[in-house]
Amino acid sequence: MLLPSLKPTHALAALLALAACRPDQIKHLPGTKQIAEETANWEVKHITPNDLLHATRWAGDSLTAYADTLLRRTLARELAKGGLANAANFCRPQTYPATDSMARKWHLRPRRVEWRPAGSGATAAITAAGLQPDTVRLIGRPAADTFYYQRPIVLRNSLCLRCHGQPGRDLTAAEAQLLQAQHPQLQAVGRQRGQVLGAWQLTLERDGVAEFYTLKTRKKWKEHKMPKLF
């Protein structure tokens, strides 16, 4: 029995259908993962006041940990060059370009303040009660669109002892005199491990906090890679 022949148009349609079923012939649109993530980020998401406080803690911890790591690497680099006085000039991680870039991305303003005894008259003074080593962080919302983060800076690293430690033990008497001459405002000297040197204080805007919370809860947030400093 002879099978009926297919018309040319029917045969062409059949060939196209077969070709479409071959996996190796399928072409995926480029950037589909990025498009999906961007679409998800534009979805309306209900964020509670407690969520924003959690995001303030996450953002503050992320930036201060990142800046502290940069500080340790920078001090190690400068001390390796043999100059304690020069290394002390780099003890301002809040001003590093990488820290500033991260701060601007999340709409926050970081600063580091030195602990001074109560009654010293310093405008940046912080009472000891608010900076005990067991106080991990302080989170607040002083205004509707403003959040606040504070974390104590505790002397735990041997690099910090090179400037803040005991003269004659962690640094020479000559180095201590040189630091005092170059940085007369420095009060956190003669310290030991475990003592509080000061605090990180961050002021955050609501938009940046909300964006950080959205990315964090969607598991899109990735830790920042440390830039090469050497």
Side-chain angles (χ1 to χ4, degrees):
M1 179 179 179
L2 295 176
L3 294 175
S5 60
L6 292 175
K7 295 181 179 180
T9 54
H10 294 167
L12 179 59
L15 290 174
L16 290 176
L18 290 174
C21 295
R22 291 176 57 189
D24 59 340
Q25 297 295 322
I26 297 175
K27 292 185 179 181
H28 296 280
L29 292 175
T32 53
K33 181 179 179 180
Q34 291 79 359
I35 294 174
E37 291 179 358
E38 186 68 20
T39 301
N41 288 336
W42 278 99
E43 293 177 359
V44 177
K45 186 177 181 65
H46 179 67
I47 303 178
T48 68
N50 283 336
D51 292 336
L52 293 174
L53 291 176
H54 283 308
T56 299
R57 184 197 69 192
W58 289 333
D61 287 348
S62 296
L63 182 134
T64 57
Y66 179 62
D68 285 345
T69 300
L70 293 180
L71 174 62
R72 288 192 297 271
R73 292 189 175 189
T74 303
L75 292 180
R77 178 194 66 197
E78 296 302 319
L79 287 171
K81 295 179 180 179
L84 177 62
N86 186 55
N89 294 325
F90 288 87
C91 194
R92 298 187 301 274
Q94 69 274 21
T95 65
Y96 291 173
T99 305
D100 179 68
S101 176
M102 187 176 182
R104 285 187 285 104
K105 180 177 181 180
W106 301 118
H107 305 182
L108 59 88
R109 296 181 297 279
R111 69 170 185 159
R112 282 164 37 113
V113 294
E114 185 179 6
W115 178 85
R116 299 183 184 183
S120 64
T123 56
I126 305 173
T127 60
L131 280 177
Q132 295 299 326
D134 58 349
T135 302
V136 177
R137 61 181 72 83
L138 298 175
I139 308 297
R141 190 175 186 176
D145 295 326
T146 305
F147 291 82
Y148 178 80
Y149 171 96
Q150 177 175 291
R151 177 174 68 78
I153 300 172
V154 183
L155 202 166
R156 304 189 189 280
N157 194 285
S158 59
L159 287 172
C160 298
L161 286 171
R162 292 289 287 118
C163 290
H164 300 282
Q166 299 286 334
R169 186 182 67 184
D170 303 307
L171 65 162
T172 66
E175 288 175 331
Q177 291 178 358
L178 180 60
L179 286 176
Q180 186 61 36
Q182 291 186 342
H183 305 278
Q185 77 283 0
L186 181 63
Q187 299 293 324
V189 294
R191 303 299 177 86
Q192 299 178 0
R193 287 181 182 270
Q195 290 186 321
V196 174
L197 296 177
W200 274 102
Q201 294 182 336
L202 279 63
T203 302
L204 306 91
E205 297 179 9
R206 187 188 184 283
D207 290 346
V209 173
E211 183 179 0
F212 192 96
Y213 178 83
T214 300
L215 294 182
K216 183 79 172 180
T217 54
R218 293 187 189 282
K219 299 183 180 181
K220 302 277 190 304
W221 174 255
K222 295 182 181 179
E223 295 213 7
H224 290 263
K225 295 181 180 180
M226 296 295 122
K228 294 181 180 181
L229 298 176
F230 302 93

